[in-house]
Amino acid sequence: MKNTILLILVVFAVISCKEAVKKEIEVVQEETITKPAIALYTFDGGAISANNLNLFAQGDTYKGESKQLSNPFYIIKHPDGILLWDSGLPEGLIGQDPYTTPDGAFTISRKDSIVNQLATIGLKKEDIDYIAFSHIHFDHTGAANHFAGAKWLVQKPEFDFAISEEIKTNGFYAPDSFKALTNVIALSGDHDVFGDGSVIIKSMPGHTLGHQVLYLDLPENGSTLLSGDLYHFQENRDGKIVPGFNHDIPMSKTSIDAFEAFAKAKNAKVYIQHEQADFDKMPVTPNTLN
């Protein structure tokens, strides 16, 4: 009987030892998993002078103020494809004097074409596999028609509005600037672009019906968030201030709360796309974030 008990104890000890070794191996394997070799490139898609900054608030928060805003677009290189995020202001502005809107609220300009800028990192327009906009306001879709062969990743409510009659009477949009995009992938919420958690489009509606932001897990910079127009500049973020011209103000506030919770959970670096100071922190082509 004693021998039987002893044998059982020995067997149990051996099994326990094997399980412990197995768990140690699994931990080591998890620790040695490397991130995909993603590169983020930032480009100048034009400049916006907000001559009436108070448009970006409700009430008189910024009354009498003005601010220079950036208007970038981005290339995300992944081993499985290339994503273009936003495309800048209309290219008809190139070579022209800065244009001021009839109401004097904005002055806009653009120095160079998207094709020229992509060439600086060895890309042609045909190399772009995916295109996605934070939203389809005209300052984000200006060079989109170059990429007719790319797959357009767009939230379904945004796309439904894009093909509606209503868009034609709204001055925030220029539907002809993206009419060449016919390879549509309609999204319903968050979307993992390459299936490995490294490049995720996150649905954050409110500024427009299908506004979205971009999460990147970069090898060197770590968790990174591109804000789209959830915020337009740092003061907007600091005060959680929603512009009166947003499509849905309560929805915008809900998205802001979700964004901040996600950013905190990921300990992410946030880059406000229209914030000139954040644009200046981004890498100069052809370098990646550091």
Side-chain angles (χ1 to χ4, degrees):
M1 182 67 176
K2 289 182 179 179
N3 290 339
T4 301
I5 294 173
L6 181 60
L7 179 61
I8 291 172
L9 291 174
V10 170
V11 171
F12 180 77
V14 170
I15 292 172
S16 298
C17 183
K18 286 182 177 180
E19 288 298 318
V21 171
K22 182 180 178 182
K23 288 180 180 178
E24 288 179 4
I25 292 173
E26 288 175 350
V27 169
V28 170
Q29 287 176 337
E30 287 176 2
E31 289 177 348
T32 56
I33 292 174
T34 56
K35 296 180 180 180
I38 302 170
L40 171 65
Y41 299 87
T42 306
F43 296 92
D44 182 2
I48 302 172
S49 177
N51 305 321
N52 178 9
L53 199 65
N54 205 48
L55 291 172
F56 295 94
Q58 300 168 61
D60 292 331
T61 306
Y62 307 122
K63 186 176 181 179
E65 296 183 40
S66 61
K67 188 177 180 70
Q68 188 66 31
L69 304 178
S70 61
N71 196 57
F73 64 92
Y74 307 87
I75 286 289
I76 297 90
K77 280 188 176 181
H78 184 282
D80 294 334
I82 297 174
L83 168 68
L84 169 65
W85 179 256
D86 286 338
S87 69
L89 283 159
E91 292 193 329
L93 294 166
I94 298 169
Q96 306 296 318
D97 290 335
Y99 171 77
T100 299
T101 57
D103 61 0
F106 299 99
T107 300
I108 57 177
S109 62
R110 181 166 186 160
K111 293 180 180 179
D112 202 359
S113 73
I114 198 167
V115 172
N116 285 346
Q117 292 181 79
L118 293 184
T120 65
I121 56 170
L123 291 181
K124 302 185 296 294
K125 59 185 180 182
E126 293 82 10
D127 295 325
I128 305 303
D129 300 294
Y130 300 96
I131 183 170
F133 310 109
S134 54
H135 59 297
I136 56 172
H137 281 169
F138 78 95
D139 54 319
H140 296 259
T141 64
N145 281 334
H146 288 293
F147 307 99
K151 297 175 182 177
W152 179 18
L153 303 173
V154 56
Q155 299 295 328
K156 189 176 185 305
E158 193 91 342
F159 179 70
D160 289 344
F161 181 74
I163 60 175
S164 71
E165 288 298 314
E166 185 181 353
I167 194 173
K168 297 176 182 178
T169 59
N170 190 315
F172 281 114
Y173 302 89
D176 283 348
S177 68
F178 54 84
K179 66 181 180 181
L181 304 182
T182 58
N183 192 355
V184 177
I185 298 178
L187 308 179
S188 298
D190 296 354
H191 178 68
D192 188 339
V193 179
F194 299 105
D196 58 13
S198 63
V199 181
I200 300 176
I201 292 172
K202 295 194 67 64
S203 174
M204 296 280 170
H207 182 62
T208 63
L209 273 168
H211 181 270
Q212 47 195 16
V213 305
L214 189 65
Y215 169 77
L216 304 170
D217 187 6
L218 298 171
E220 295 183 8
N221 204 59
S223 294
T224 301
L225 277 166
L226 304 180
S227 72
D229 280 14
L230 188 73
Y231 309 111
H232 290 85
F233 41 89
Q234 187 62 45
E235 292 86 350
N236 270 172
R237 186 184 183 199
D238 292 341
K240 293 187 175 182
I241 295 170
V242 178
F245 62 78
N246 273 21
H247 171 76
D248 188 311
I249 290 174
M251 187 184 290
S252 298
K253 292 179 178 179
T254 298
S255 288
I256 284 172
D257 290 341
F259 179 89
E260 293 299 340
F262 181 77
K264 183 177 180 180
K266 291 290 188 179
N267 192 28
K269 297 177 183 177
V270 174
Y271 293 89
I272 301 172
Q273 292 184 209
H274 282 304
E275 172 57 72
Q276 186 66 48
D278 282 3
F279 179 80
D280 293 340
K281 294 178 195 173
M282 303 294 277
V284 177
T285 303
N287 299 323
T288 55
L289 286 173
N290 50 49

